[in-house]
Amino acid sequence: MATYKNIPIKKIAISTGGGDAPGLNAVIRAAALSAHTRGWDVYGVLDGFHGILSPEEYPNGGFIPLTRERVSGITHLGGTILGTSNRNNPLKYPMLRPDGTIEEVDRSDEIVRGFRLHHIDALITVGGDGSLAIASVLAQKGLRLISVPKTIDNDLDKTEVTFGFDTAVGFATEALDRLHSTAASHGRVMVVEVMGRYAGWIALHSGVAGSADVILIPEHPYDIHKVIEKIKEREMRGNKFTIVVVAEGASPKGGALTVVEHEAGRAERLGGIGEKVAAEIHAISGKETRVVVLGHLLRGGSPTSFDRLTALRFGAAAIRGLEEGYGGVMVALDPPHVKYVPIEEAMGKMKMVPMDSDIVLTARDLGISFG
Ligand code: F6P
């Protein structure tokens, strides 16, 4: 954390990094308008830090002016008008060696130089855990910046919630509502896989709100026989169908994560646990099962009013923070306030679902099984 009190700002940049989340455009709008109100110029960096690392690939040199007109009418739009990337981490940038192998190179100095070259006085970087790690290094190298936390997974520590999560949960809940009637009509087991990476927040919240019968989350490795018990218990009561929500990061007791791929310069990609769970249920119980993977649908669409408001508050708070002289901090929701926490305190620690939390207890009281 650094202090830049009384060091004036004339020009700032905004970048969005990592997987997109509904609400990013609302942050961009709030930050841009708040900056214009103070008489600052605002530029957007395209495609995460790619715009600054490879300006030659863009007709406009990797930056676009975020005028009042450019940020008009974008609050309700999903995605990010700046583009984003969760590949090519600049701290471990994959470069091809002449012998065909890949070397991971730290390109953070180039980013700092790039911003200086464009006379950018401060940066607002919107992103998740990966972006926080990059921001921390850039801040240590003297770049004046404030981070805005973003992820649909809700797994960032030090903030009550991140925008994007509520939209994802709302969509998953609606999907569960829709799946109930078809599952009931056919007497099937419907397995619904949701994103969330190594935390079970989306599965838990949508599973409870959407009346799932079983919720499998990474925080509680499951026993498939307990899932079968639940299906049988429901059948004894005359319910021939069961809805199982499984977080992509869930794993069986003593078992491993289900990973789609590992690629240099990016986090491993999870997915496929829904199919595994469904296959096991069918093999053990003989029940007809179907799998629905909600995947990237959870990241799309218009942000809910809660996410818009959180994102707008974060964007405006980031500008107020810069004006007050903060640097190397992340804005965080600590209801009813938005506060500033040192990036180092926020990064590296994942916020997992506490198995003794009220919402888990509520789920158990409702008869929901965690396997
Ligand atoms: O962090 C957001 C997230 O959507 C995770 O829930 C998911 O594991 C990952 O990103 C998917 O990333 P990609 O867009 O690279 O498939």
Side-chain angles (χ1 to χ4, degrees):
M1 182 168 157
T3 179
Y4 294 90
K5 235 182 167 70
N6 301 325
I7 303 179
I9 289 178
K10 285 200 191 112
K11 188 171 169 186
I12 67 160
I14 304 174
S15 79
T16 52
D20 66 333
L24 282 170
N25 286 321
V27 176
I28 294 168
R29 176 174 156 82
L33 293 184
S34 308
H36 286 304
T37 301
R38 287 159 174 82
W40 304 350
D41 286 337
V42 191
Y43 286 80
V45 187
L46 298 176
D47 300 336
F49 289 114
H50 197 69
I52 198 143
L53 286 174
S54 304
E56 69 288 351
E57 290 181 18
Y58 299 83
N60 38 27
F63 279 82
I64 53 163
L66 291 174
T67 58
R68 286 185 181 272
E69 294 69 39
R70 189 66 196 83
V71 299
S72 164
I74 63 169
T75 301
H76 65 294
L77 300 179
T80 159
I81 60 165
L82 296 177
T84 187
S85 172
N86 57 6
R87 311 179 65 178
N88 299 339
N89 177 347
L91 303 182
K92 292 182 182 172
Y93 198 93
M95 300 280 237
L96 195 62
R97 290 199 192 99
D99 66 359
T101 58
I102 302 275
E103 182 187 4
E104 291 186 338
V105 178
D106 180 354
R107 299 187 68 187
S108 53
D109 284 333
E110 285 174 65
I111 295 181
V112 176
R113 271 201 304 276
F115 283 118
R116 299 245 153 90
L117 197 70
H118 285 88
H119 306 288
I120 302 290
D121 300 312
L123 170 70
I124 292 187
T125 156
V126 193
D129 50 350
S131 303
L132 281 176
I134 299 164
S136 158
V137 170
L138 297 178
Q140 280 164 25
K141 293 190 170 179
L143 198 66
R144 180 174 183 177
L145 64 81
I146 290 194
S147 284
V148 171
K150 162 253 47 161
T151 168
I152 64 162
D153 304 334
N154 195 36
D155 59 353
L156 287 181
D157 199 30
K158 300 288 175 201
T159 182
E160 173 78 12
V161 78
T162 42
F163 60 85
F165 174 64
D166 188 58
T167 308
V169 169
F171 181 81
T173 304
E174 191 193 327
L176 293 175
D177 291 347
R178 286 170 181 252
L179 290 169
H180 264 84
S181 57
T182 174
S185 303
H186 287 264
R188 286 172 172 160
V189 176
M190 199 62 85
V191 179
V192 184
E193 180 182 310
V194 296
M195 283 185 169
R197 220 180 272 280
Y198 308 113
W201 294 104
I202 298 176
L204 177 66
H205 283 226
S206 63
V208 174
S211 306
D213 308 297
V214 178
I215 301 175
L216 306 179
I217 57 176
E219 292 82 350
H220 179 88
Y222 67 85
D223 173 351
I224 198 70
H225 296 286
K226 295 220 169 121
V227 178
I228 305 287
E229 262 170 41
K230 184 71 197 173
I231 294 169
K232 293 216 165 118
E233 177 200 311
R234 283 178 54 74
E235 299 223 321
M236 302 245 294
R237 293 213 187 106
N239 292 313
K240 301 234 173 304
F241 75 98
T242 295
I243 305 277
V244 180
V245 179
V246 54
E248 63 178 0
S251 55
K253 266 189 191 138
L257 279 171
T258 313
V259 175
V260 181
E261 67 172 353
H262 292 277
E263 193 189 315
R266 59 174 298 172
E268 64 188 357
R269 211 147 64 78
L270 304 179
I273 187 69
E275 285 289 352
K276 277 194 186 170
V277 168
E280 277 189 294
I281 292 174
H282 177 67
I284 301 171
S285 71
K287 287 283 298 179
E288 197 177 19
T289 59
R290 290 289 184 271
V291 185
V292 176
V293 180
L294 294 182
H296 293 81
L297 289 169
L298 295 167
R299 296 227 304 251
S302 188
T304 59
S305 49
F306 178 84
D307 281 341
R308 294 182 198 189
L309 198 56
T310 305
L312 292 167
R313 291 175 73 191
F314 280 1
I319 296 296
R320 287 199 303 277
L322 286 178
E323 187 177 45
E324 286 166 28
Y326 283 105
V329 295
M330 178 188 93
V331 300
L333 188 65
D334 183 10
H337 305 290
V338 173
K339 61 179 190 181
Y340 306 97
V341 292
I343 290 176
E344 283 69 30
E345 277 179 27
M347 60 185 247
K349 189 163 168 258
M350 205 179 301
K351 184 172 70 185
M352 311 282 283
V353 171
M355 288 310 288
D356 59 353
S357 62
D358 165 74
I359 192 145
V360 170
L361 299 180
T362 302
R364 291 196 192 280
D365 283 338
L366 293 171
I368 297 172
S369 165
F370 285 91

